[in-house]
Amino acid sequence: MKKLLSRYLLAASITGLSITATADTTLRLAHLWPATSAVQKEIFETWAQSVQEASAGELQVEIYPSQTLSKSNKAYDAVVNGIADISVTLQGYTAGRFPLSEIVQLPGVAHNAPQGACILQSLYDNGAIAQEYSDTHVLFMFTTGPGYLHTRDTDIQSPKDLEGLRIRRPSEVAGEMLSSMGAQPVGMPAPEIYSAMQRGVVDGLSFPWEAMKVFRINELANYHMQVPYYTGIIVATMNKGVYQSLSPEMKTVIDNNSGMKWAMTAGNVFNRLDEEGRQEAIDLGHTIRVMDDPLNDAQWSVPLKQGTKNYLNTLQQRGLETAQDVYQSALDLRQSCAS
């Protein structure tokens, strides 16, 4: 426990945060969303409060938002290596590490955030993707709502309008789709998009409506093409050693605050935030185009189906023989996970 105490004291000295609990009961939770966001307040703070109350204060949760403890592309490794005790991050930020999980991002899999959360958590619970997280102790998984296309100056109405545009991609899957549509995918974490848009580094981005509000991108993007071509996937996971060091009673507290219940809690928060983000764009007078069923549209279906095929073929070429089965399982879960 002395090593744990040293780590906590170091983290406090770096961030200027005070420590209000003993080393063996304080869990440091790192994520990328702003401290003032509804994502922090309604998901992470609520989860922390639930853990603290259930443990009668023996477990305390110290939250580090906005990449203050770990950068987004290092967040999963931060948990593996003990820099953070818990991280919440998008798997797409670690390209190639969670290839089977990222199948849930493919177009047509999830209609909204609650459905996506249910599908992703179910695939973990039934073992289809569990091996990808064997180096950490997963708490729960969830997804964003559908990701759409948002641009500052270009009114996108068909895939050909994306030709040559520099569009921020959130993941390998989304990048595959964008490339199939003729865009130039640019990778960067969500907190860096605002300045990139301001400076003209990118012409637009792919984001769910929730993130357009949370990261204030509605201030910069004037045009929105509501075409659901990917879904962001997210994992909340814990350092294995830290979990194993807990008493049986405290492990039970963590276990009772894991799994489908919290996946759906997060999914429902994201679903509401999607509605708020879209309404904000409407109130600002933005141009919003809608293509709700692109896989059955003559123009949009061609690149999206090709992008899906390309991604699944790539996984099989990597030796992931279960890729097609996981994809089919995700599609089969849509009905039982419908909301």
Side-chain angles (χ1 to χ4, degrees), residues 232-268:
I233 63 171
I234 305 166
V235 58
T237 196
M238 186 174 185
N239 178 274
K240 263 191 166 182
V242 171
Y243 176 78
Q244 291 298 334
S245 71
L246 298 176
S247 68
E249 294 78 12
M250 293 304 102
K251 284 180 183 176
T252 298
V253 169
I254 295 296
D255 294 345
N256 289 342
N257 283 279
S258 300
M260 188 62 76
K261 173 187 174 181
W262 280 95
M264 296 310 299
T265 295
N268 287 326

Side-chain angles (χ1 to χ4, degrees), residues 40-60:
Q40 160 141 333
K41 294 180 179 300
E42 298 182 32
I43 301 176
F44 309 139
E45 290 183 11
T46 302
W47 183 86
Q49 182 177 1
S50 179
V51 166
Q52 289 165 184
E53 290 178 353
S55 67
E58 187 170 337
L59 292 177
Q60 295 290 316

Side-chain angles (χ1 to χ4, degrees), residues 61-176:
V61 181
E62 196 170 74
I63 301 176
Y64 292 75
S66 303
Q67 305 185 98
T68 50
L69 188 58
S70 174
K71 292 295 184 182
S72 301
N73 62 344
K74 302 292 185 182
Y76 189 82
D77 280 333
V79 163
V80 174
N81 299 326
I83 296 170
D85 300 311
I86 299 168
S87 275
V88 188
T89 186
L90 284 85
Q91 289 92 318
Y93 286 162
T94 312
R97 186 159 187 167
F98 307 99
L100 295 176
S101 299
E102 292 199 59
I103 286 172
V104 177
Q105 296 189 83
L106 291 170
V109 172
H111 177 68
N112 55 35
Q115 184 182 43
C118 176
I119 292 172
L120 184 62
Q121 184 68 47
S122 295
L123 289 174
Y124 178 79
D125 290 343
N126 68 26
I129 61 175
Q131 185 58 36
E132 295 185 335
Y133 307 89
S134 61
D135 48 1
T136 63
H137 179 83
V138 170
L139 301 175
F140 56 96
M141 297 186 180
F142 56 104
T143 73
T144 69
Y148 303 126
L149 297 166
H150 312 272
T151 50
R152 191 163 191 169
D153 303 311
T154 305
D155 185 2
I156 297 171
Q157 299 186 48
S158 69
K160 64 181 177 61
D161 296 325
L162 282 162
E163 188 71 38
L165 292 184
R166 296 161 299 173
I167 304 294
R168 178 265 180 178
R169 65 160 181 84
S171 67
E172 184 178 3
V173 170
E176 185 67 59

